[in-house]
Amino acid sequence: MRKLSAVVPAIIGGERVLTGAAFDVIDPSSGTVVGQVALCGPPEVDRAVAAARTAFRTTWRHVSAAGRARHLRAIAAIFQQHADELAELETLDTGKPLSQSRIDVGFAIRYFEYYANMVEAVFGDVIPVGTDRLTLAIREPHGVTGHIVPWNYPLGLSTRTIAPSIAAGNCCVLKPAEDASLTPSRISELALEAGLPAGVLNCVTGPGGVTGQALVEHHDVDYISFTGSVPVGHRIAAAAAHTLTPVALELGGKSPNIVFADADLDEAAPVLARSIIQNAGQTCSAGSRLLVADEVHDELQGRLVEIFRATRIGPGEEDPDLGPVISAKQLGSVTDMIERGKQEATLLTGGGRAAEPRLAGGYFVEPTLFGDVAPEASIFQQEIFGPVLTLTRFRDIDEAIELANGTEYGLVSGVWTGSISTAHRMIQELDSGQVMVNTFSNGVELPFSGRRKSGYGVEKGYDGLLAFTKVKGAVIAWSRS
Ligand code: NAP
Ligand code: MG
């Protein structure tokens, strides 16, 4: 197994920074230490915010949109040159199957290309007030943006907000999760190699409660983008309220896939399984609740049991269907929820840690399917963030809507039907930020936002770029003298 030869640095003001202290990198496939990352505290956060502020004032806000776009394209190109390295690092750090890491590298590249293409088309407005004045709405960057991301998609989620932020003219301080800091540090380093001016992208590595907290409480940060859990989201929103910093919260989900009797089960079944098995279920938008019409319930249940039992489990570098969950802590929380599920519903397959002796050191969970899951059950209501799917039947479209909207979350919904009317009605009625019909994939183009406990703010698409701007009204009156 691969080990890292040197301590992974923080990236501050264009420099690779080691702090004299470090924390361990754990390979979730084996539970062993494979490297170390520089431990940053409040002094490094101060330095990073100051570097970002200086870069913003002296350099970046003066670079034209076309100039910024050229930098973004150069970054996309260097990611492409290092695609294999980035995918291997991502798999080492998170345990995710190698082909899934390769897809995430593709997303990282695409975010930079997409926002490079788009940024030159962000115009303000000229507002028609009268002939004696010109009234303008000007789009400006926020200034210094703080980005706090979780461990489930370190590459994908870092680039999802950094690319539009830099494109819009901001300078960033990125704080990755302690459990997955390798690729965020590496892409920040590669961006420098691609010619991005020092201080435009900084990366401070360290624990959320210290390093992350220092960033969100910092008085010289102009905007905070947070992706993570609901409890930490509450704390971030409270800290941001104190400094009156605008914040976007992309939080958890308990997303339903709703299968009607007229759905194409041949197409749906593998996608439904993948939507919870991919990344070991550790996806904010995982399809973790399956709601199925009575008429096709038993047929679909049988197919899913078959797919789950045939799932290949193994270390990420072997590129199985299902890798480990991220940490011993996550393993404990997923298996605890499975035990609760056994009290609440019918276990159809899976039900605990993977049994193969060679996997014993890693954090592997079997793909687990529960049937007859009532809407009151904790496994129906709570985000498990593991490869655990609940199955609930419905009689008609009204019951399907009630069940689908029946949790505190509102991130994503999948609808499977052959009827255009059913599709229309479901898009109207589902209280979630995204609705996907006869698919469960969404690219960089689809605006992505949460409802209720899934958070607020928007990422991806054109709206995701505008989020990293603020509007300034200006008026120039005609001089009569
Ligand atoms: P988390 O515990 O909330 O951590 C997220 C990030 O916040 C990490 O970088 C963490 O650092 C940091 N953090 C923790 N405490 C902090 C504090 N007091 N101040 C500032 N930063 C702090 O979430 P997680 O368990 O890593 O990630 C899983 C959650 O993220 C799930 O609920 C999932 O649904 C959600 N998620 C949402 C989306 C979306 O787009 N809606 C996407 C992906 C994931 P450390 O880890 O180093 O402590
Ligand atoms: Mg790790």
Side-chain angles (χ1 to χ4, degrees):
M1 182 214 329
R2 192 173 159 185
K3 288 207 175 192
L4 301 169
S5 53
V7 177
V8 172
I11 305 295
I12 302 175
E15 286 172 13
R16 308 168 82 254
V17 173
L18 298 177
T19 58
F23 60 91
D24 289 339
V25 178
I26 298 187
D27 167 19
S29 295
S30 62
T32 57
V33 176
V34 291
Q36 290 202 307
V37 179
L39 177 63
C40 296
E44 286 76 27
V45 171
D46 271 346
R47 272 176 65 190
V49 172
R53 177 64 61 197
T54 302
F56 178 68
R57 282 212 185 106
T58 61
T59 316
W60 200 239
R61 66 184 287 252
H62 307 296
V63 177
S64 67
R68 282 181 260 130
R70 274 194 292 277
H71 279 287
L72 267 82
R73 288 199 185 91
I75 293 171
I78 204 165
F79 288 178
Q80 185 68 64
Q81 285 157 23
H82 291 261
D84 289 344
E85 177 202 344
L86 288 170
E88 282 163 22
L89 273 182
E90 195 79 325
T91 285
L92 178 68
D93 209 1
T94 64
K96 72 176 71 186
L98 203 49
S99 55
Q100 294 179 26
S101 293
R102 288 191 203 287
I103 290 172
D104 294 356
V105 175
F107 268 98
I109 293 167
R110 176 79 179 123
Y111 280 122
F112 276 85
E113 285 176 346
Y114 178 71
Y115 285 114
N117 293 338
M118 188 176 279
V119 70
E120 287 192 72
V122 177
F123 308 121
D125 293 307
V126 179
I127 301 158
V129 171
T131 55
D132 69 333
R133 59 194 53 219
L134 199 56
T135 301
L136 308 172
I138 302 169
R139 288 271 164 197
E140 294 185 342
H142 294 286
V144 175
T145 55
H147 304 247
I148 298 185
V149 296
W151 40 256
N152 55 342
Y153 291 87
L155 255 182
L157 295 176
S158 298
T159 51
R160 175 162 114 181
T161 62
I162 278 166
S165 181
I166 294 176
N170 302 283
C171 294
C172 307
V173 180
L174 168 65
K175 205 303 281 180
E178 212 182 346
D179 281 328
S181 299
L182 300 187
T183 54
S185 165
R186 186 66 182 128
I187 59 169
S188 306
E189 202 172 28
L190 287 173
L192 285 174
E193 284 177 30
L196 190 70
V200 177
L201 173 57
N202 306 274
C203 176
V204 286
T205 41
V210 179
T211 321
Q213 188 94 18
L215 183 59
V216 294
E217 288 176 352
H218 205 289
H219 283 267
D220 205 25
V221 173
D222 301 306
Y223 182 90
I224 293 163
S225 163
F226 172 76
T227 309
S229 64
V230 175
V232 177
H234 277 293
R235 296 181 67 168
I236 304 260
H242 190 67
T243 53
L244 287 181
T245 308
V247 57
L249 301 175
E250 295 287 344
L251 308 178
K254 190 72 183 176
S255 298
N257 262 308
I258 307 138
V259 182
F260 287 90
D262 58 4
D264 181 335
L265 295 192
D266 291 337
E267 281 206 3
V271 180
L272 298 171
R274 201 161 52 240
S275 78
I276 189 68
I277 285 172
Q278 183 205 318
N279 205 30
Q282 305 164 116
T283 305
C284 54
S285 55
S288 54
R289 287 188 297 143
L290 190 52
L291 311 175
V292 187
D294 267 334
E295 297 88 329
V296 289
H297 176 277
D298 294 354
E299 165 69 20
L300 185 58
Q301 173 177 308
R303 291 190 190 205
L304 286 170
V305 168
E306 230 172 79
I307 298 174
F308 274 36
R309 291 201 174 137
T311 301
R312 294 173 303 121
I313 310 177
E317 62 189 4
E318 290 178 10
D319 202 23
D321 304 315
L322 176 64
V325 296
I326 188 82
S327 62
K329 183 174 159 223
Q330 190 65 15
L331 175 67
S333 105
V334 173
T335 49
D336 282 356
M337 283 302 288
I338 291 176
E339 290 311 312
R340 284 177 74 171
K342 289 176 186 169
Q343 313 299 316
E344 297 175 328
T346 308
L347 178 66
L348 297 172
T349 186
R353 290 187 75 162
E356 263 188 80
R358 75 178 187 112
L359 303 178
Y363 312 130
F364 294 92
V365 180
E366 296 174 298
T368 298
L369 182 63
F370 283 107
D372 305 319
V373 181
E376 304 75 41
S378 61
I379 55 168
F380 186 96
Q381 292 293 334
Q382 293 175 27
E383 185 180 47
I384 300 175
F385 231 52
V388 183
L389 180 61
T390 66
L391 195 54
T392 305
R393 54 170 85 228
F394 64 82
R395 282 183 308 278
D396 54 28
I397 189 166
D398 293 319
E399 191 181 17
I401 293 164
E402 197 181 319
L403 286 167
N405 290 337
T407 74
E408 291 186 311
Y409 293 105
L411 196 56
V412 163
S413 306
V415 177
W416 298 84
T417 179
S419 153
I420 193 79
S421 303
T422 304
H424 272 193
R425 177 150 180 228
M426 293 304 281
I427 291 171
Q428 305 292 332
E429 302 273 8
L430 290 169
D431 193 15
S432 62
Q434 293 69 226
V435 182
M436 297 177 278
V437 181
N438 294 330
T439 178
F440 205 74
S441 67
N442 55 90
V444 307
E445 305 84 0
L446 192 77
F448 194 83
S449 63
R451 303 269 173 95
R452 308 194 299 282
K453 289 269 167 65
S454 294
Y456 49 79
V458 59
E459 294 177 350
K460 310 211 287 187
Y462 184 62
D463 296 279
L465 181 57
L466 289 189
F468 284 98
T469 68
K470 56 192 174 190
V471 71
K472 177 184 278 175
V475 55
I476 310 166
W478 174 57
S479 168
R480 285 160 205 282
S481 60

